[in-house]
């Protein structure tokens, strides 16, 4: 991970840190530099249209109204009207261009975040609350939108105007200018004093919103449990605490922002007071003309106007920076492991990505899969697998049995590389699977998870997941696993809508769909993880029949608790405390009278 | 449409009225000071131009300007903090009410709703409403103050000229009427797309393993791009409307100035108006240009806020179908007699249960079996009233379930759902979830009954180990047993087990069943299972088929009937035999 980890040390890092953050952000603006260019170009035009209006008024008053000449006045009014019309049109363009740029940048950032989240390792996602990630992609990016809506580009204009006015003031009167600028150190000091506090406050705000959303996401997911256990009041209290803490984090931000705004207002008036005091003295001493003083006071007002604009944008900027920090922090997560995760190793450069369908032609069927002395721990040193060995040959059906928590599921997760082994290796035809591009590896393995997951969409989509190759096999796959029966009973058949998490289908139905999914992808290797456990006997029979046909000529690794479902396995491997303790056919193991025999006795006791 | 959406807000604003009132007063003060300073400046300049004997020194005015400036600053800070804090406080209150509402909604509601959508309403829509209540309110008051001040001064100079200046305003109102509907509509669409973005992220993260397993990362990213593009489209429509509204407001101000130039100029020439008044009038008109632009911004905010408020109202007004009874029957203690009387239940027009007649006496242990989709889970969910039940169809201890307070009912039920949902808290907190103040001994006792104690002993921090979100760090079997312990510790009169042992191995199942047989006592137990072995302690077994009870009786009786149950049992027996061969 990179320097952004040191977020909390930014008071030390200070400006350099901000510059890096901004520099990186500007990289995102680059594709839209023409939009930026045009909107920058519009700024002086708008300013010109705006500034010319008082001039026309002046001409109208001095040359016509005061002189008592009506003729020419309508013509001037015409000019005036064209100017305000031009100003309106240009302003419209400016707003539109700026918003277009902002929305495009936000879109790009969102896409990058989303694509990045897809690549994050399973272990990272296990540790990270869903609500937090949702907040990154939505609210944290949305904050940037505020920055564009506030007209970030005009900061450039404000700074230019400021420099111009400073030059004019110095040219007019150095002494008076210096008196005016005397208030600036106070402003600079306050801005800098506020900066780190404001950022810290904004960071709190973003972090607490994320916590709040994480809690809420979990709370919604577990609402039935909350209600069944009558815990509504308790959960309300927990939520109230987080909600209040989010509110309270926001309050200082408001105070800082209001103070900054007030400080600028006050300092501009103080500067005028100082000029009156100093300039008045100078006039009395005859060192300054009266006209020069009045003109100078007007310049002070012009001088503070861009500062006022800048300070109004300052807190929006700080908020956006806090959002950016969180966005970049996520984008930098596991960046170094990026290569490993996407599996692009120098050994196999030709396969960058698994294409849609037809991918199977790309490689020869595999012969063996070998787990060689595999060690793995989800958390430091708590090894779930300790020197696990297993050999699978093509066409074999191997079953993993053993007590819960013994490491069976872990074996299947390692094969698909949801996690990487810590020691030892998993070899596909003698090649370490870490050397195989992930898409290629995973496209050869069909996985049925312990808990079937359905997406919002249609039944068809849930079986083929939008893959063209799989789509052609949807109906066939459904028939193979016996899911076609209940699908036909749906009003819209395969086009029936699936709600969030498949909540409009029973667990058994969901399981059948996830089987159909594995079948539709027609993979070489099938991994079934405790999948047959919550389907009733009748459906189970159907599935067993379907799977038998499917498994022919296909390697499968089945994790099962029901010893009855795996009796026809070619080999049964018994895992005990992370090690293989027995291996053989059902009959061999029964004859042996070891752990398998005991498990079997327990299950079929009656 | 705006007003209707906002009617819910009235109460919140009223509760914060002191802050709003103080904030508005300070705002008035701030504007007063803002006018005071130029006046002091004018006095100072005049003093310098024509130094009168006995007049004040420049330092005198300078000192007053600085004092006024400091006071101005202070008042400004307070005006903003009072109003903006009020906005944040109301946001907090609304969020509280939204959450309270969520807690009262039932399973059918959540089956419809998307988690990401609700999350989005809680953060993005609420943010829009809060913007209105904070910055929006601040600017509305500020604009009103400036308008009132400038208008009254203008009317004093020339009522006729003021009318002239107001000529463009009716056009403004016309346009605003046109545009505001569009803003409302597009803003709502944009918010809905943002909701879909949230849902998509939420679903994808939750399903990360599936997406990875089938290499669907690119396809999912494409789907996300689709929604993102749609959001971009509506956001740009909003930007377009905002782009029209704001310059148009400036145009309105400009046209007013132009009309005054023509009409006022001629009056000066004819002598109806003094030049000084004309210049002053123009000055006030210029003062109004910026507030008019802000008015456009406020209108945008109002419509956007209304669109979001409509989305929040949809949630606030959602009606749960399962509600607390208005006149709950007083019950001392639920002892656990359950009676279904010709109960039927359908969901979204699909009948799931039909004509269920079933009596379960106190201390009876009922097993429910049947094919996938036969209504087993629905049946047990109705006992806990997770779904709405028709009147006169389900009775607990002889009382219609709809007349028992939900709290009372659910307190009496220990429920182990099919899918074990755990919270990202410690193991102990998860077990004691339904029983506040459970002692460690009680927690350990429940864990022992559920055969979880051995596993917990192996965890790094024992019972204080925090399980990951949705319990990801535990194995399926461990999660399920934690859920069992969570139900057992409640010491319920009715224990409902929905396929409770699906993810545990044979040895653990045996141990749990043994523990259960000691625990059952005179509790009423309802077990849904696919495995007949798990029903061995049941004294009544009910077979469901397509939503109807097709068979009922004891294990032996059902075998004698020779129906569906017997077939299931034979098949399981056969498997064993084949396996044992």
């Amino acid at each position: 991970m990179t320097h952004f980890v040191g977020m909390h040390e930014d008071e030390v890092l200070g400006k350099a840190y901000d510059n890096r953050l901004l520099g990186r952000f500007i990289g995102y603006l680059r594709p839209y530099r023409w939009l930026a260019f045009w909107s920058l170009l519009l700024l002086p035009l708008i300013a010109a249209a705006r500034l010319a209006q008082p001039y026309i008024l002046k001409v109208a008053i001095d040359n016509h109204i005061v002189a008592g000449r009506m003729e020419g006045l309508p013509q001037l009014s015409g000019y005036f009207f064209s100017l305000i019309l031009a100003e309106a049109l240009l302003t419209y363009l400016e707003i539109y261009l700026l918003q277009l740029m902002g929305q495009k940048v936000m879109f790009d950032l969102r896409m990058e975040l989303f694509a990045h989240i897809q690549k994050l390792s399973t272990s990272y996602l296990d540790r990270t609350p869903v609500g937090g990630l949702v907040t990154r992609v939505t609210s944290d990016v949305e904050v940037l939108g505020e920055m564009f809506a506030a007209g970030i580009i005009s900061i450039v204009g404000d700074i230019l105007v400021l420099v111009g006015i400073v030059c004019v003031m110095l040219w007019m009167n150095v002494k008076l200018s210096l008196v005016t600028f005397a208030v600036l150190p106070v402003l600079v000091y306050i801005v800098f004093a506020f900066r780190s506090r404001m950022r810290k406050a904004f960071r709190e705000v973003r972090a607490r919103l994320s916590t709040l959303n994480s809690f809420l996401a979990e709370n919604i997911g577990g609402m039935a449990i909350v209600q069944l256990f009558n815990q509504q009041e308790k959960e309300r209290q927990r939520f109230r605490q987080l909600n209040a803490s989010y509110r309270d984090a926001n309050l200082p931000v408001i105070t800082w922002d209001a103070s900054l705004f007030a400080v600028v207002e006050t300092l501009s008036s103080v500067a005028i007071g100082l000029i009156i005091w100093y300039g008045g003295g100078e006039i009395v001493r005859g060192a300054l003309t009266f006209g020069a003083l009045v003109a100078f006071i007007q310049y002070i007002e012009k001088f503070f106007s861009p500062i006022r604009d800048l300070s109004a944008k300052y807190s929006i900027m700080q908020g956006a920076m806090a959002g950016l920090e969180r966005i970049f922090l996520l984008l930098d997560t596991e960046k170094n492991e990026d290569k490993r995760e996407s599996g692009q190793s120098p050994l196999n450069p030709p396969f960058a990505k698994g294409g849609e369908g037809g991918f199977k032609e790309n490689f020869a069927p595999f012969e063996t899969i070998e787990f060689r002395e595999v060690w793995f721990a989800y958390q430091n040193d708590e090894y779930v697998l300790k020197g696990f060995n297993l050999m699978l040959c093509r066409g074999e059906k191997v079953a993993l049995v053993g007590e819960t928590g013994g490491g069976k599921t872990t074996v299947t997760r390692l094969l698909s590389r949801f996690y990487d082994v810590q020691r030892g290796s998993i070899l596909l035809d003698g090649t370490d699977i870490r050397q195989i591009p992930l898409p290629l590896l995973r496209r050869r393995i069909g996985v049925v998870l312990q808990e079937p997951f359905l997406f919002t969409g249609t039944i068809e989509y849930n079986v083929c997941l939008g893959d063209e190759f799989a789509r052609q096999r949807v109906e066939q796959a459904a028939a193979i696993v016996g899911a076609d029966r209940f699908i036909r009973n749906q009003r819209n058949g395969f086009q029936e809508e699936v709600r969030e998490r498949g909540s409009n289908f029973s667990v058994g139905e969901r399981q059948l769909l996830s089987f159909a999914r594995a079948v539709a992808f027609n993979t070489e290797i099938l991994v079934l993880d405790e999948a047959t456990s919550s389907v009733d006997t009748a459906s189970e029979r159907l599935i067993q029949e379907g799977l038998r046909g499917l498994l022919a000529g296909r390697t499968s690794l089945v994790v099962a608790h029901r010893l009855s479902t795996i009796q026809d396995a070619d080999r049964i491997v018994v895992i005990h405390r992370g090690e293989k303790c027995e291996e053989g056919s059902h009959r061999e193991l029964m004859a042996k009278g070891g752990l398998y025999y005991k498990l079997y006795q327990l299950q079929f006791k009656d | 449409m705006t007003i209707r959406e906002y009617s819910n807000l009235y109460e919140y604003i009223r509760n914060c009225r002191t802050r709003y009132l103080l904030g508005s007063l300070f705002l008035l003060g701030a504007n007063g000071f803002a006018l005071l300073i130029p006046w002091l400046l004018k006095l100072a300049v005049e003093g310098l131009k024509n130094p009168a004997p006995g007049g004040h020194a420049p330092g005198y005015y300078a000192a007053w300007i600085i004092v006024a400036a400091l006071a101005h600053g202070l008042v400004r800070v307070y005006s903003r903090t009072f109003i903006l804090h009020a906005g944040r406080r109301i946001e907090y209150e609304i969020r509280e009410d939204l959450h309270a509402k969520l807690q009262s909604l039932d399973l059918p509601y959540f089956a419809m709703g998307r988690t990401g959508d609700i999350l989005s309403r809680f953060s993005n829509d609420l943010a829009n409403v809060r913007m209105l209540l904070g910055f929006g309110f601040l600017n509305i008051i500020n604009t009103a103050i400036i308008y009132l001040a400038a208008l009254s001064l203008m009317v004093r100079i020339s009522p006729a000229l003021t009318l002239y200046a107001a000529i463009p305003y009716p056009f403004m109102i016309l346009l605003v009427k046109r545009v505001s509907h569009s803003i409302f509509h597009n803003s709502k669409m944009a918010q809905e797309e943002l909701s879909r973005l949230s849902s998509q992220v939420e679903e994808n993260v939750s399903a990360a393993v599936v997406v990875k397993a089938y290499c669907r990362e690119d396809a999912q990213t494409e789907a996300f791009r689709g929604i993102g593009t749609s959001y971009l489209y509506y956001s740009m429509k909003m930007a377009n409307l905002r782009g029209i509204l704001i310059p148009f407001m400036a145009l309105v101000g400009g046209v007013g100035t132009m009309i005054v130039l023509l009409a006022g100029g001629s009056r000066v020439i004819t002598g109806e108006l003094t030049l000084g008044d004309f210049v002053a009038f123009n000055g006030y008109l210029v003062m109004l240009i910026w507030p008019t632009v802000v008015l456009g911004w406020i209108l945008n905010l109002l419509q956007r806020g209304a669109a979001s408020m409509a989305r929040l109202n949809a949630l606030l007004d959602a009606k749960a179908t399962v509600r607390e009874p208005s006149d709950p029957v007083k019950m001392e203690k639920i002892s656990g007699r359950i009676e279904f009387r010709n109960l039927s239940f359908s969901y979204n027009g699909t009948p799931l249960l039909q004509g269920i007649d079933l009596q379960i006496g106190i201390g009876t242990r009922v097993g429910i079996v049947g094919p996938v989709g036969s209504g087993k889970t629905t049946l047990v969910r109705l006992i806990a009233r997770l779904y709405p039940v028709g009147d006169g169809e389900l009775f607990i201890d002889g009382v219609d379930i709809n007349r028992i307070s939900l709290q009372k009912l659910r307190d009496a039920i220990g429920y182990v759902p099919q899918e074990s949902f755990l919270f990202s808290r410690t193991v102990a907190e998860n077990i004691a979830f339904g029983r506040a103040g459970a002692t460690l001994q009680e927690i350990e006792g429940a864990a022992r009954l559920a055969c979880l104690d051995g596993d917990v002993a192996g965890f790094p921090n024992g019972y204080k180990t925090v399980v990951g979100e949705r319990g990801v760090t535990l194995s399926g079997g461990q999660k399920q047993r934690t859920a069992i312990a969570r139900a057992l510790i409640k010491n319920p009169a009715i224990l409902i087990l929905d396929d409770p042992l699906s993810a545990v191995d044979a040895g653990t199942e045996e141990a749990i069943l043994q523990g259960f047989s000691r625990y059952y006592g005179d509790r009423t137990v309802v077990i849904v299972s696919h495995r007949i072995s798990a029903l061995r302690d049941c004294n009544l077994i009910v077979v469901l088929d397509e939503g109807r009870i097709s068979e009922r009786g004891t294990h032996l009786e059902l075998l004698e009937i020779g129906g569906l149950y017997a077939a299931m049992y034979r098949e399981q027996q056969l498997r064993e035999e084949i396996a044992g061969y």
Side-chain angles (χ1 to χ4, degrees), chain B residues 75-90:
Chain B
V75 169
R76 224 359 125 193
V77 172
Y78 278 108
S79 69
R80 287 172 84 90
T81 43
F82 270 122
I83 292 174
L84 298 183
H85 281 194
R88 283 288 176 186
R89 276 170 208 282
I90 294 182

Side-chain angles (χ1 to χ4, degrees), chain A residues 180-220:
Chain A
T180 310
F181 300 156
V183 300
L184 285 186
V186 181
L187 184 64
V188 170
Y189 172 78
I190 286 173
V191 165
F192 274 90
F194 276 19
R195 198 185 59 123
S196 63
R197 275 160 223 229
M198 248 176 157
R199 184 72 65 80
K200 217 163 134 191
F202 270 118
R203 228 173 253 151
E204 271 309 304
V205 167
R206 309 289 338 146
R208 288 186 191 181
L209 180 64
S210 178
T211 316
L212 185 71
N213 281 342
S214 301
F215 176 87
L216 192 59
E218 196 179 59
N219 185 238
I220 294 169

Side-chain angles (χ1 to χ4, degrees), chain A residues 300-370:
Chain A
I300 291 176
E301 270 158 13
K302 288 211 167 57
F303 171 69
F304 274 96
S305 148
I307 293 181
R308 209 170 285 141
D309 281 357
L310 284 172
S311 78
K313 280 163 202 139
Y314 189 73
S315 70
I316 293 173
M317 283 285 291
Q318 293 299 325
M321 296 282 258
L324 268 183
E325 278 176 0
R326 289 168 52 82
I327 290 166
F328 288 151
L329 194 66
L330 180 60
L331 286 178
D332 289 338
T333 307
E334 298 185 342
K335 201 139 221 187
N336 298 339
E337 295 147 64
D338 206 34
K339 276 204 181 70
R340 271 187 13 176
E341 178 60 18
S342 63
Q344 291 176 16
S345 81
L347 286 178
N348 295 342
F351 309 110
K353 266 179 189 164
E356 291 276 314
F359 53 89
K360 286 173 68 67
E361 287 79 23
N362 291 343
F363 42 78
F366 83 102
E367 289 301 327
T368 59
I369 295 173
E370 187 187 355

Side-chain angles (χ1 to χ4, degrees), chain A residues 65-66 77 80-81 84 88 92 99 103 107 110-111 114 118 120 125-126 129-130 138 142 212-213 216 218-223 225-232 234-236 238-240 243-244 246-247 250-251 254 262 265-266 269 272-273 276-277 290 293 341 353 356 382 403-404 418 439 442-443 447 449 451 453 455-456 461 465-467 499-501 503 506-507 510 517-518 533-534 536-537 539 541 561 567 586 600 602-604, chain B residues 37 41 45 48 58 62 65 69 72-73 77 84-85 88-89 92 95-96 99-100 103 105 110-111 113-115 118-119 122 198 202-204 206-216 218 220-221 224-225 228-229 231-232 235-236 239-240 242-243 247 254-255 258 262 265 268 275 348 371-372 384 407 410-411 418-419 421 424-425 429 433 436 460 469 472 479 481 486 490 499 502-503 505-507 530-531 571-572 575-576 578-580:
Chain A
I65 296 172
V66 174
S77 300
F80 187 79
F81 184 71
I84 53 178
Y92 166 75
Q99 282 285 305
Q103 292 291 337
F107 175 82
R110 276 211 179 92
M111 288 309 297
F114 188 82
Q118 304 263 8
L120 287 173
L125 294 175
D126 284 350
V130 183
T138 56
E142 233 20 50
L212 185 71
N213 281 342
L216 192 59
E218 196 179 59
N219 185 238
I220 294 169
M223 195 59 81
I225 300 297
V226 171
Q227 293 179 347
L228 277 170
F229 288 83
N230 277 329
Q231 292 303 302
Q232 290 94 323
K234 276 259 187 54
E235 296 301 296
R236 288 276 301 109
R238 278 171 186 265
F239 183 80
R240 186 173 301 134
N243 191 10
Y246 172 62
R247 177 198 62 201
N250 272 301
L251 301 185
I254 292 170
E265 289 272 299
T266 308
S269 301
I272 291 175
I276 294 282
W277 168 70
F290 175 73
L293 182 71
E341 178 60 18
K353 266 179 189 164
E356 291 276 314
E382 288 169 49
E403 284 180 272
T404 46
F418 293 137
R442 287 179 180 161
R443 282 197 166 266
V447 180
L449 296 170
E451 280 168 58
F453 191 101
F455 295 85
T456 38
Y461 177 80
L465 297 178
D467 184 275
R499 292 212 199 92
E500 189 177 40
R501 305 275 189 277
S503 58
S506 77
V507 174
R510 277 180 249 168
R517 186 188 289 159
S533 49
S534 52
D536 64 286
T537 323
S539 311
R541 190 179 56 229
H561 298 305
Q567 48 202 239
H586 172 70
Y600 188 83
L602 278 172
Q603 183 157 4
F604 298 112
Chain B
I37 291 167
L41 188 61
V45 170
L48 278 170
I65 286 176
H72 180 204
V77 172
L84 298 183
H85 281 194
R88 283 288 176 186
R89 276 170 208 282
Y92 162 86
R95 197 179 265 118
E96 282 296 298
H99 188 246
Q103 303 268 349
L105 290 173
F110 289 103
R114 299 164 133 226
T115 313
I118 298 175
L119 279 182
F122 266 69
S198 303
E202 195 268 338
E203 193 169 76
N204 252 272
S206 306
V209 178
V210 181
V211 173
K212 282 177 197 296
Y214 289 94
C215 294
R216 304 313 300 156
D218 292 344
Q220 291 294 321
T221 308
F224 186 77
R225 185 187 301 280
T229 309
Y231 178 61
L232 181 72
S235 299
M236 283 320 294
N240 189 37
R242 213 168 68 101
V255 170
M258 193 187 77
L262 274 175
V268 173
L275 184 65
N348 288 332
V372 169
Q407 161 134 26
R410 288 173 181 167
D411 264 343
Q418 211 165 15
E419 281 161 287
F421 186 98
S424 49
R425 298 171 194 171
E429 281 176 295
F433 188 71
E469 195 174 54
V472 281
K479 270 196 277 184
R481 280 173 288 145
R486 177 172 68 189
K490 275 177 83 175
D499 211 5
S502 61
D505 56 80
H530 292 115
R531 259 185 279 179
E571 190 169 320
Q572 292 198 358
R575 281 180 188 285
E576 280 173 50
I578 296 166

